[in-house]
Amino acid sequence: LHSFPTRRSSDLYCFQNAAPYLNSDDLTLANFEGTITDATAHLTKEFVFSGPFEYTEMLTYGGIDAVNLANNHSWDYYDQGLQDTQDALDSVGILWSNQHSVATCEIDGVLIGMCGIDLVSGDTTATAYPLIDELREMGCNIIIVSVHWGIEKDYTPRDSQVSCGHDLIDYGADIVVGTHPHRLQPIEKYNGKYIIYCLSNFCFGGNTGLSDPDSCIVQCEFVMDETNSYCESYNLNVIPFSQTSTRPGNDYCPMPYEWGSEDYYRVMEKLNWSQEDE
């Protein structure tokens, strides 16, 4: 984690209820859907997202260690916006990956590799194959693939998502994490590995109101073999969250749902997930 000389309340605000969870793990990976740039020229589209450099402090204080940039908003401010974003993340030590670059992180002798593809903007499943090959050649013991896919507001993955997820696992991904629909979609166990079709939004500034506030944090424990060469099994823990601590409305400050509450079980049902602590 990275520290700054002065910690301001505004830096802590968005992740204040999530930081205890995100700071307790070895690696937190998020989908960063926007740009960090002061560029003004942007694409002509309904929504374009940008923020100042200072927003990186919210990410670091919130325990975000790595981000996926393979999504349909990373180029909102053209190549300049993407480059500014990558430079900003580099300057505060946050790893990033996309359909052109991979990222790695070594933890306790295990090398974790990350990459992403964006089917919404024209990538195909095959876009990920050379990235997975590259990560394997680098000696990665675990490979995480982020995929921007599906249709907004869908609660069920489309056939194209299922086919892509299965193909990526068959090709060598250890876990596939989906984004874009802005809704929770089921978790599938396929050939002993997990496909998380969509985690919905988390800290989302695109709307002042939320038609569906449900979200979650998914913690994945990779159980390695005796030599730390490959993952033998996986344990998932789901922590149901609301994207806002004030309802109705959106205060951009996610908070966990109370265990056993109607909200808690609604999230589990959307994910088609149950766990022993229930």
Side-chain angles (χ1 to χ4, degrees):
L1 298 177
H2 311 279
S3 60
F4 292 83
T6 303
R7 180 172 294 189
R8 300 170 299 186
S9 59
S10 60
D11 301 328
L12 299 170
Y13 175 74
C14 287
F15 289 99
Q16 61 184 299
N17 301 314
Y21 303 97
L22 302 179
N23 282 311
S24 65
D25 57 19
D26 293 311
L27 175 69
T28 296
L29 170 65
N31 178 55
F32 187 81
E33 196 150 347
T35 60
I36 300 170
T37 183
D38 57 8
T40 56
H42 58 74
L43 294 173
T44 301
K45 54 193 295 192
E46 185 176 7
F47 298 106
V48 292
F49 298 134
S50 70
F53 175 79
E54 289 74 17
Y55 281 15
T56 58
E57 298 182 13
M58 288 191 288
L59 298 176
T60 55
Y61 291 149
I64 305 300
D65 303 299
V67 297
N68 165 59
L69 296 179
N71 58 65
N72 62 317
H73 284 287
S74 290
W75 276 268
D76 279 358
Y77 286 79
Y78 299 107
D79 290 343
Q80 184 63 55
L82 177 62
Q83 188 62 56
D84 290 345
T85 302
Q86 293 170 172
D87 291 344
L89 294 169
D90 286 340
S91 71
V92 297
I94 295 177
L95 301 170
W96 56 268
S97 62
N98 55 31
Q99 58 269 67
H100 305 293
S101 299
V102 301
T104 62
C105 179
E106 184 171 347
I107 299 170
D108 296 331
V110 175
L111 188 61
I112 301 172
M114 294 162 279
C115 64
I117 58 175
D118 178 13
L119 302 189
V120 176
S121 299
D123 290 342
T124 66
T125 305
T127 305
Y129 294 164
L131 301 173
I132 294 173
D133 290 341
E134 180 180 354
L135 290 169
R136 287 297 181 202
E137 291 169 3
M138 294 170 69
C140 289
N141 311 107
I142 296 170
I143 292 179
I144 304 170
V145 181
S146 299
V147 187
H148 212 61
W149 58 11
I151 304 299
E152 291 186 0
K153 299 185 179 180
D154 270 6
Y155 289 94
T156 303
R158 300 293 175 107
D159 290 345
S160 59
Q161 293 173 254
V162 175
S163 176
C164 175
H166 289 185
D167 288 347
L168 289 172
I169 294 294
D170 290 340
Y171 197 82
D174 290 290
I175 189 168
V176 176
V177 183
T179 58
H180 182 63
H182 302 277
R183 295 291 187 268
L184 292 172
Q185 293 186 348
I187 297 171
E188 179 188 8
K189 191 171 187 179
Y190 171 74
N191 282 351
K193 300 179 181 182
Y194 287 104
I195 303 168
I196 303 171
Y197 282 103
C198 189
L199 294 178
S200 190
N201 305 315
F202 197 69
C203 285
F204 184 64
N207 295 114
T208 55
L210 298 170
S211 56
D212 185 341
D214 292 345
S215 185
C216 67
I217 292 173
V218 174
Q219 298 173 324
C220 181
E221 178 187 17
F222 297 94
V223 182
M224 305 301 291
D225 75 308
E226 292 182 355
T227 64
N228 271 354
S229 299
Y230 64 93
C231 182
E232 287 188 322
S233 62
Y234 306 75
N235 297 315
L236 291 191
N237 180 51
V238 173
I239 306 170
F241 258 77
S242 167
Q243 298 165 41
T244 175
S245 61
T246 302
R247 295 166 63 185
N250 183 10
D251 63 2
Y252 321 112
C253 185
M255 66 176 297
Y257 283 135
E258 182 181 355
W259 182 90
S261 66
E262 180 180 343
D263 294 327
Y264 179 98
Y265 284 114
R266 184 179 61 249
V267 168
M268 292 297 192
E269 183 177 358
K270 289 176 179 176
L271 294 170
N272 192 28
W273 186 256
S274 62
Q275 50 198 34
E276 292 181 0
D277 69 354
E278 295 180 38

